[in-house]
Amino acid sequence: MTRLIAVIFAFALAAVDGTNPVQKVITLLSGLEAKIKRDGAAEEKAHAAYMAWCKDGGKEKEFEIRTAKSEIEDLTATITKAESDTLALNSKIDDLAQDISTSEADLKGA
């Protein structure tokens, strides 16, 4: 019986207010639908920006990798040439040291 009185009281209040509970639910659902659509649009925009950032970042990393590989090849060639030059110059140093020794010996003998 108490429930019946509460329900009647609720309907009476709704009648005074001018809206019934079903209309309130529909209004709330409409508001929720609009909020979900706004949130979805914002999320879609954020996702698009993130995907653009990923795409741009990927391209930048690809370029950096290609550049680094090129630098590795150049530096490897430079190291190889430097090693070759070092061997040649060490050989020349040995030859010159031998020439100096020979010249000093000839000088002492003269």
Side-chain angles (χ1 to χ4, degrees):
M1 181 74 175
T2 311
R3 282 188 165 179
L4 181 61
I5 293 173
V7 170
I8 293 172
F9 183 70
F11 278 116
L13 283 177
V16 170
D17 188 17
T19 59
N20 64 30
V22 174
Q23 288 175 331
K24 285 185 179 182
V25 169
I26 290 173
T27 302
L28 289 173
L29 287 175
S30 297
L32 182 61
E33 178 185 20
K35 182 182 182 300
I36 289 172
K37 285 182 180 180
R38 282 192 312 269
D39 291 348
E43 288 296 323
E44 187 175 337
K45 184 178 177 182
H47 178 71
Y50 175 72
M51 292 305 294
W53 177 80
C54 288
K55 185 178 178 182
D56 293 343
K59 286 180 182 178
E60 289 174 7
K61 294 301 176 196
E62 287 175 9
F63 175 76
E64 290 173 6
I65 289 170
R66 280 195 308 269
T67 303
K69 284 182 179 179
S70 176
E71 286 179 19
I72 288 171
E73 291 174 5
D74 291 345
L75 292 173
T76 302
T78 302
I79 290 170
T80 303
K81 184 180 181 316
E83 287 173 345
S84 174
D85 290 347
T86 301
L87 291 174
L89 291 173
N90 282 336
S91 175
K92 189 170 183 176
I93 288 171
D94 291 341
D95 290 344
L96 291 173
Q98 189 175 14
D99 287 348
I100 289 172
S101 296
T102 304
S103 294
E104 285 178 349
D106 287 346
L107 186 60
K108 284 183 184 181

